[in-house]
C-alpha cells in the first residue's frame, strides 16, 4: 500500500483509535528551503519544518506525487509539479517546469523519517510500549546536510 497521509490516517483511526495532531519532538525537523533553481543559497536557507500532522501530511503528499510519477512512469504527473512542498521538496525552474535539487532530496528523507517517528510514537502511546519509540532518532540526526 502506498503510504499516503489518508491511508495512514485511516489505519491509525480504524485500528488504534488514533488521530494524529501535534507532532512529537522526535518527528520535528528542519528544512533547507530553496525557492528557485540556480539562484540564492546553493544548499538553501534553513527553516523549521511543520509542527503538526496537517503540515507534515502536505509534505508527504508532495513526496507521493513525485514517487507515483517516477514509479509508474506517469509523464503527466511528472510534467505537473506537486501542489504542495514548493521550495521544500521541489523547486520551479526559470522558464517553466520543476526540479528536485540536493536540499529537496534530503528534505524528502527527513519527511519520511518524521512520518515514521510520528506514527511510531502514536502507536507507542496507544498500545502502551510499542518498544520502538525510545530508540527513534530525530530526522535531523538521521539525515544531515553536510
Amino acid at each position: 500500500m502506498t503510504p499516503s497521509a489518508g491511508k495512514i490516517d485511516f489505519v491509525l483511526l480504524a485500528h488504534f483509535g488514533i488521530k494524529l495532531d501535534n507532532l512529537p519532538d522526535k518527528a520535528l525537523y528542519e528544512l533547507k528551503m530553496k525557492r528557485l533553481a540556480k539562484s540564492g543559497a546553493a544548499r538553501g536557507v534553513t527553516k523549521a519544518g511543520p509542527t503538526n500532522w496537517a503540515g507534515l501530511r502536505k509534505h508527504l503528499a508532495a513526496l507521493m506525487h513525485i514517487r507515483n510519477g517516477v514509479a509508474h512512469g506517469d509523464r503527466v504527473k511528472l510534467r505537473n509539479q506537486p501542489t504542495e512542498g514548493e521550495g521544500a521538496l521541489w523547486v520551479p525552474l526559470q522558464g517553466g517546469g520543476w526540479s528536485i535539487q540536493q536540499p529537496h532530496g534530503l528534505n524528502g528523507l527527513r519527511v519520511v523519517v518524521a512520518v515514521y517517528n510520528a506514527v511510531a510514537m502514536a502507536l507507542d502511546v496507544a498500545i502502551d510500549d510499542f518498544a520502538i519509540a525510545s530508540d527513534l532518532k530525530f530526522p535531523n540526526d538521521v539525515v544531515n546536510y553536510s
Side-chain angles (χ1 to χ4, degrees):
M1 168 175 10
T2 303
S4 70
K7 289 177 184 174
I8 290 170
D9 288 339
F10 173 78
V11 169
L12 289 177
L13 188 59
H15 296 282
F16 301 99
I18 298 170
K19 185 167 174 40
L20 296 175
D21 189 15
N22 291 325
L23 297 177
D25 287 346
K26 292 247 177 130
L28 300 177
Y29 57 97
E30 291 179 336
L31 298 160
K32 291 286 189 175
M33 297 293 291
K34 188 169 182 182
R35 294 283 178 196
L36 285 172
K38 299 180 183 176
S39 69
R43 292 185 180 239
V45 177
T46 303
K47 177 186 171 204
T51 59
N52 58 35
W53 178 241
L56 183 54
R57 74 188 328 268
K58 289 178 181 180
H59 285 174
L60 184 57
L63 285 182
M64 290 303 97
H65 176 99
I66 295 163
R67 179 247 174 236
N68 291 343
V70 172
H72 302 294
D74 186 336
R75 291 179 188 210
V76 172
K77 195 159 271 198
L78 292 175
R79 236 186 333 266
N80 299 317
Q81 68 233 23
T83 57
E84 304 290 351
E86 181 177 343
L89 298 166
W90 60 274
V91 63
L93 294 171
Q94 293 171 344
W98 59 286
S99 172
I100 299 169
Q101 299 182 351
Q102 182 192 26
H104 306 115
L106 295 172
N107 287 343
L109 293 173
R110 284 188 175 184
V111 168
V112 171
V113 174
V115 169
Y116 180 87
N117 288 358
V119 171
M121 295 292 288
L123 288 172
D124 187 55
V125 170
I127 59 179
D128 195 28
D129 195 20
F130 185 51
I132 194 171
S134 62
D135 295 330
L136 297 175
K137 293 180 174 42
F138 291 94
N140 291 5
D141 294 338
V142 175
V143 180
N144 69 42
Y145 294 110
S146 59

